[in-house]
Amino acid sequence: MQILDSHLNRDHLEVIFKEAAAFEKSPYIVTGAQRIILATVFYEPSTRTRLSFEAAMLRLGGNTISIPDAKHCSAEKGETLEDTVRTVSQYSDILVLRHSLPGAAKLAQEFSECPIINAGDGSKEHPTQAILDLFTIQKHFKKIDGLKILISGDLMFGRTVHSLLNLLENYEVEIWVDSPKELKLRGNWTIHECATTVGSPHPPAAEILKQVDVAYMTRMQKERWPVGMTQKPPYFSINKNNVDTMKEDAIIMHPLPRNDEINISVDKNKRAKYFEQAKNGLYVRMALIKMVLGL
Ligand code: CP
């Protein structure tokens, strides 16, 4: 199995969910990963993805080496991604890559001596995040088919959203999107748009929030905005005033880090699942390492 993008089918996902659920039950299952070395090569900042991959490898009994950011590797001296990957893959058995270039993981795989896992490439893909997002939904509802999902935020530059939408193509779901007009989703997905993006008579996100099973919030990806694009005023957030308008069993998700789109007053609400979602990343990434290495 390769995790270079989010083009996985339902069978793949079901196997990953089963493995991840087993690791959640027994995180110390020995799988033959002793002496395996996982390299994290991150050219962009990360808290959850890098550390959960490293924790996953350590939990499996292996070891890690890391380039935590581009300033701490020879990229700073002009080395290409290709040369860095050629080199690091000689020291490791699996390499987890985050890079600002869309398609970086696929490019890296051409030069790598070991399997690459895509940990985010520009605004294009973040497949392991989307897998753990779906695992979180599946765990809560015991199903994905039939759910109504609101995805809100910077949908143009948010990579988790693109990968999540690709994976959701495997299921019968109703998807609503909400973003500032300038940050509208690009691509060909079957979705409904809220008024913020396309104007009335489309329903506003606040109305859709009352109806959905999942509210998936994302932050403004300012680091990817073109020069001259300025801070947008807050346009939709989940806060103490609207959280209880949601269905009793609905959940609020966020890949994190967050800015203003989920107020901290919501954190103790039973619908807030974003920190559990981050924890699920550990089990999903244990499963992915195991499967990519064929352990
Ligand atoms: N969700 C996510 O990718 O978080 P990090 O940037 O902290 O890895």
Side-chain angles (χ1 to χ4, degrees):
M1 176 180 275
Q2 286 195 314
I3 311 289
L4 298 173
D5 61 29
S6 55
H7 294 289
L8 298 172
N9 64 33
R10 206 166 159 137
D11 291 340
H12 289 136
L13 290 167
E14 274 161 26
V15 176
I16 297 167
F17 295 163
K18 211 169 146 198
E19 288 280 0
F23 281 124
E24 182 172 17
K25 247 173 142 178
S26 299
Y28 298 99
I29 297 170
V30 176
T31 60
Q34 293 90 338
R35 297 203 187 87
I36 295 286
I37 296 176
L38 175 139
T40 48
V41 178
F42 277 52
Y43 289 80
E44 289 187 335
S46 169
T47 298
R48 279 144 291 270
T49 311
R50 187 170 68 84
L51 292 182
S52 64
F53 263 114
E54 293 179 3
M57 186 74 261
L58 295 171
R59 282 261 199 265
L60 287 167
N63 293 291
T64 65
I65 55 175
S66 185
I67 295 173
D69 69 74
K71 288 206 167 6
H72 290 92
C73 76
S74 294
E76 190 72 357
K77 296 181 270 185
E79 186 169 66
T80 62
L81 170 65
E82 291 89 326
D83 285 358
T84 300
V85 164
R86 260 192 244 257
T87 307
V88 178
S89 66
Q90 297 178 109
Y91 308 146
S92 52
D93 303 295
I94 183 165
L95 191 156
V96 181
L97 177 70
R98 172 169 288 186
H99 200 280
S100 57
L101 177 74
K106 283 188 181 162
L107 172 70
Q109 188 63 80
E110 289 176 33
F111 296 90
S112 178
E113 293 194 12
C114 69
I116 301 277
I117 295 183
N118 184 350
D121 55 357
S123 54
K124 193 164 186 236
E125 285 267 18
H126 193 349
T128 69
Q129 177 68 46
I131 297 167
L132 76 88
D133 293 341
L134 279 196
F135 177 69
T136 303
I137 295 171
Q138 165 78 36
K139 237 175 81 176
H140 182 78
F141 293 102
K142 314 283 178 247
K143 63 170 191 176
I144 296 171
D145 286 316
L147 298 179
K148 190 163 174 172
I149 301 172
L150 170 66
I151 301 178
S152 175
D154 178 349
L155 306 186
M156 184 174 281
F157 295 104
R159 56 189 168 202
T160 69
V161 166
H162 297 116
S163 294
L164 183 59
L165 286 167
N166 281 339
L167 292 188
L168 284 172
E169 297 266 272
N170 288 294
Y171 301 90
E172 297 291 326
V173 288
E174 183 179 329
I175 299 168
W176 285 81
V177 295
D178 165 63
S179 70
K181 288 184 188 61
E182 304 79 358
L183 298 167
K184 202 167 151 20
L185 186 67
R186 291 178 288 200
N188 291 320
W189 288 284
T190 311
I191 49 158
H192 306 276
E193 292 175 305
C194 294
T196 331
T197 319
V198 281
S200 43
H202 289 248
E207 278 310 306
I208 298 300
L209 184 70
K210 296 175 188 169
Q211 303 165 17
V212 293
D213 302 292
V214 179
Y216 188 95
M217 306 301 287
T218 63
R219 71 179 170 89
M220 296 293 118
Q221 309 282 316
K222 291 176 201 156
E223 69 275 28
R224 302 194 198 290
W225 287 359
V227 176
M229 194 176 232
T230 50
Q231 168 86 51
K232 305 283 163 236
Y235 68 101
F236 180 62
S237 66
I238 300 184
N239 52 51
K240 64 177 176 357
N241 299 321
N242 61 12
V243 67
D244 287 320
T245 68
M246 296 179 73
K247 287 161 68 173
E248 281 298 313
D249 195 35
I251 59 173
I252 303 163
M253 298 179 65
H254 196 306
L256 302 176
R258 70 172 146 184
N259 295 145
D260 307 321
E261 56 283 348
I262 302 177
N263 188 273
I264 55 166
S265 62
V266 173
D267 293 357
K268 287 202 167 72
N269 191 284
K270 64 179 178 184
R271 301 174 183 90
K273 288 283 170 195
Y274 27 96
F275 290 109
E276 182 185 326
Q277 185 184 347
K279 186 176 182 188
N280 288 336
L282 174 65
Y283 310 125
V284 166
R285 288 170 174 137
M286 288 174 83
L288 293 176
I289 293 168
K290 179 173 182 257
M291 293 165 81
V292 168
L293 289 173
L295 296 172

